[in-house]
């Protein structure tokens, strides 16, 4: 009898230990989540939105341990312009001069590590793939169990997006577009 009780207790410990180290994929509510972008140039800036196609955070207990997000690059939307100007800029951003969405319909971010910095903030190291080119990126992520936010600064030239870049072209003057663009993410689960 003691042997059976011991086996039962041991099995319970193994199950509890396994459950406590098992990560859960928390699926993002893509309809309620929002991704905004800002691109700057010498004479001003443009801003807009882009849709998430899918995504999840891997969570162990209340701790972020990983995740993966797919962005629908064909959904690039300019929000600071209207009419013909809006259409022209959206078309140009989707063209091969920028993100080439005909051939690269999605971008992907895969979280490799997430180190807790404070109660709700994590230092994240991830791989970002744009136009089939993958580079590491680091940023802070705030997560409270129901939502997550992050601000990323991305150097577009690392992804062969060089149009109007002063780093690659001379004599652009006021037509220079800065290499970095910013993404703000507000995820709902």
């Amino acid at each position: 009898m003691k042997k059976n009780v011991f086996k039962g207790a041991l099995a319970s410990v193994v199950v509890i230990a396994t459950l406590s180290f098992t990560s859960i994929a928390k699926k993002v509510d893509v309809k309620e989540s929002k991704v905004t972008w800002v691109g700057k140039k010498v004479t001003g800036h443009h801003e807009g939105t882009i849709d998430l196609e899918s995504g999840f955070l891997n969570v162990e207990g209340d701790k972020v341990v990983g995740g993966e997000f797919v962005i629908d690059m064909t959904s690039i939307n300019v929000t600071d312009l209207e009419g013909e100007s809006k259409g022209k800029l959206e078309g140009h951003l989707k063209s091969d001069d920028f993100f080439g969405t005909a051939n690269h319909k999605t971008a992907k971010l895969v979280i490799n590590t997430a180190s807790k910095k404070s109660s709700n903030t994590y230092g994240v190291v991830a791989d970002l793939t744009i136009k089939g080119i993958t580079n590491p990126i680091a940023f802070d992520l705030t997560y409270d169990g129901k939502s997550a936010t992050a601000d990323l600064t991305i150097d577009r030239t690392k992804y062969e997006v060089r149009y109007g870049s002063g780093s690659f072209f001379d004599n652009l003057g006021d037509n220079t577009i800065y290499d970095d663009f910013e993404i703000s993410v507000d995820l709902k689960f």
Side-chain angles (χ1 to χ4, degrees):
M1 172 130 161
K2 287 183 181 181
K3 196 174 192 181
N4 287 339
V5 171
F6 177 73
K7 283 182 181 178
L10 181 60
S12 296
V13 168
V14 169
V15 168
I16 291 169
T18 301
L19 290 175
S20 61
F21 292 109
T22 302
S23 68
I24 297 169
K26 291 195 74 159
K27 189 175 176 183
V28 172
D29 182 339
V30 295
K31 298 288 186 206
E32 295 297 318
S33 299
K34 187 171 185 177
V35 180
T36 59
W37 58 266
V38 175
K40 297 178 181 175
K41 55 186 181 173
V42 171
T43 57
H45 74 279
H46 290 292
E47 57 192 58
T49 61
I50 192 162
D51 295 339
L52 275 173
E53 184 174 288
S54 63
F56 61 87
L57 274 180
N58 285 332
V59 179
E60 285 181 5
D62 65 349
K63 183 180 177 195
V64 175
V65 295
E68 184 174 301
F69 304 89
V70 178
I71 298 105
D72 176 4
M73 297 301 288
T74 67
S75 71
I76 294 171
N77 178 40
V78 175
T79 58
D80 66 309
L81 296 174
E82 295 179 354
E84 187 178 332
S85 297
K86 172 184 170 68
K88 281 184 179 181
L89 182 54
E90 287 174 354
H92 197 198
L93 290 171
K94 293 174 185 179
S95 78
D96 289 338
D97 281 346
F98 284 93
F99 297 104
T101 63
N103 295 316
H104 305 283
K105 295 185 184 328
T106 62
K108 185 184 218 178
L109 182 123
V110 178
I111 296 175
N112 297 319
T113 62
S115 303
K116 203 163 199 174
K117 294 173 87 173
S118 66
S119 62
N120 291 342
T121 304
Y122 295 82
V124 170
V125 176
D127 286 331
L128 177 62
T129 303
I130 300 174
K131 293 178 72 174
I133 301 166
T134 303
N135 285 291
I137 188 166
F139 57 93
D140 285 347
L141 174 84
T142 302
Y143 171 72
D144 67 8
K146 296 178 184 176
S147 64
T149 58
D151 293 316
L152 292 75
T153 300
I154 300 166
D155 179 350
R156 65 190 177 95
T157 64
K158 290 182 176 181
Y159 303 93
E160 301 295 321
V161 181
R162 296 181 176 171
Y163 183 87
S165 170
S167 299
F168 292 91
F169 302 100
D170 295 328
N171 303 317
L172 292 173
D174 288 348
N175 294 318
T176 301
I177 302 168
Y178 297 123
D179 293 343
D180 289 345
F181 68 97
E182 299 160 10
I183 298 280
S184 291
V185 181
D186 185 5
L187 303 174
K188 305 296 181 195
F189 300 95

